[in-house]
Amino acid sequence: MLAEQQPLLRTKGLTRRFGGLVAVSDLDLEIRPREILGLIGPNGAGKSTTFNLISGFYKPSAGELFVFGENCTGRSPLAISRLGLVRTFQHGSLMRSMTVGDNILLGTIYGVRGSAQRRARVAETAEMLGLTAYLAEEAGNLPHGLQRLVSIGIAFAARPKLLCLDEPLTGLNQTEVANTLAVLERIRDEFGCSVLLVEHNMKAVMRVCDRIVVLHHGQHLATGTPSEIRADQKVIEAYLGHRHEH
Ligand SMILES: Nc1ncnc2c1ncn2[C@@H]1O[C@H](COP(=O)(O)OP(=O)(O)O)[C@@H](O)[C@H]1O
Ligand SMILES: [Mg+2]
């Protein structure tokens, strides 16, 4: 099979238990090259657990993880990131007292050799994110929305094949959300990178994702395009039972 046709990432029967609780149950999912895949579901559905399983931060209780067809089950986060999977952390991955430029530079450490090449990578990344004017600023002094972009910049500076983002839009205003979504589209369209987007903001997910996977109580509920998911009766019912969520 050609590399472009095979899924970038595939899980087979992925399961994670915490004591008696099955947080993720028998999950089969596929992330394709050059797609933005949304992972949604009510609170406690297993989204973050799935995210942690995929990035190697949790070991599965059962099931397998394949990256480019290679079985990576049980590998360390670092080993998985070297295959081209990079993630951000929900509560920020940036160093507040360092400049924006030095933060983005951190993301080049494993992937780029030579200081001139690293500087060029930082400049290109900052330009892509609209952060060029802030390169010399202390990251902690920036507005929240720009700090979130810096976190994405650190991850994207490694030029991953798959960028995994856990709720990157939380706390952003409308302009910042639109900005971030445009960045995700550029990441896909100009760099051929796939994005796994775990997100609560349904409107944003529907707008930007190529496909969406819905989890409910740790189980796969539906997979489809935004319009398929919007019309899916099982999905509608799962969300109607959780009106307290946005
Ligand atoms: N480290 C953990 N230890 C024990 N239970 C956990 C842990 N992480 C998640 N859980 C439980 O697993 C379920 C799924 O959680 P999570 O994956 O965080 O859901 P989501 O991100 O969709 O809100 C929840 O019931 C949660 O309490
Ligand atoms: Mg979560």
Side-chain angles (χ1 to χ4, degrees):
M1 200 190 278
L2 292 172
E4 271 300 296
Q5 290 168 343
Q6 90 178 359
L8 204 158
L9 179 141
R10 187 163 69 84
T11 72
K12 192 163 166 261
L14 203 63
T15 299
R16 173 68 201 215
R17 301 185 193 93
F18 295 108
L21 177 92
V22 189
V24 174
S25 175
D26 198 23
L27 179 66
D28 295 345
L29 74 77
E30 190 180 290
I31 305 176
R32 300 172 182 163
R34 289 174 178 269
E35 77 171 343
I36 301 178
L37 181 75
L39 184 61
I40 66 172
N43 234 338
K47 304 182 296 294
S48 293
T49 302
T50 301
F51 190 90
N52 283 315
L53 287 166
I54 284 174
S55 51
F57 282 79
Y58 287 170
K59 306 287 174 234
S61 310
E64 291 168 311
L65 171 70
F66 299 88
V67 180
F68 295 116
E70 194 180 334
N71 193 334
C72 295
T73 316
R75 290 209 196 157
S76 70
L78 183 60
I80 290 178
S81 73
R82 285 191 172 145
L83 293 171
L85 269 68
V86 174
R87 64 170 289 177
T88 60
F89 291 85
Q90 204 167 359
H91 299 291
S93 352
L94 60 80
M95 309 297 273
R96 299 179 56 84
S97 62
M98 282 170 45
T99 65
V100 169
D102 285 345
N103 267 283
I104 298 174
L105 188 63
L106 288 176
T108 68
I109 285 172
Y110 288 115
V112 188
R113 295 228 177 102
S115 62
Q117 286 85 341
R118 282 186 180 156
R119 277 199 302 276
R121 177 63 66 83
V122 170
E124 185 191 59
T125 304
E127 197 280 322
M128 217 273 299
L129 293 158
L131 290 172
T132 305
Y134 307 98
L135 277 169
E137 300 264 345
E138 231 176 79
N141 291 340
L142 296 184
H144 182 67
L146 291 179
Q147 291 192 24
R148 287 301 186 90
L149 283 180
V150 175
S151 294
I152 294 175
I154 297 167
F156 188 63
R159 294 294 180 274
K161 297 282 191 292
L162 173 65
L163 177 66
C164 300
L165 305 171
D166 197 356
E167 309 215 359
L169 307 176
T170 305
L172 301 191
N173 67 35
Q174 264 186 9
T175 313
E176 292 170 332
V177 167
N179 235 329
T180 306
L181 296 185
V183 163
L184 299 187
E185 286 169 337
R186 287 189 72 184
I187 283 175
R188 177 194 60 196
D189 298 341
E190 294 173 27
F191 294 85
C193 177
S194 298
V195 178
L196 173 66
L197 182 63
V198 172
E199 190 45 60
H200 253 112
N201 182 331
M202 202 57 67
K203 223 166 107 188
V205 168
M206 290 294 171
R207 217 182 99 197
V208 80
C209 289
D210 299 297
R211 293 191 308 135
I212 296 170
V213 171
V214 188
L215 295 182
H216 192 40
H217 298 311
Q219 302 203 325
H220 173 267
L221 192 68
T223 299
T225 62
S227 49
E228 286 165 352
I229 292 301
R230 222 182 263 118
D232 189 297
Q233 204 51 43
K234 296 188 301 291
V235 176
I236 294 166
E237 279 162 22
Y239 274 93
L240 284 178
H242 289 78
R243 276 193 178 279
H244 56 281
E245 285 205 308
H246 16 261

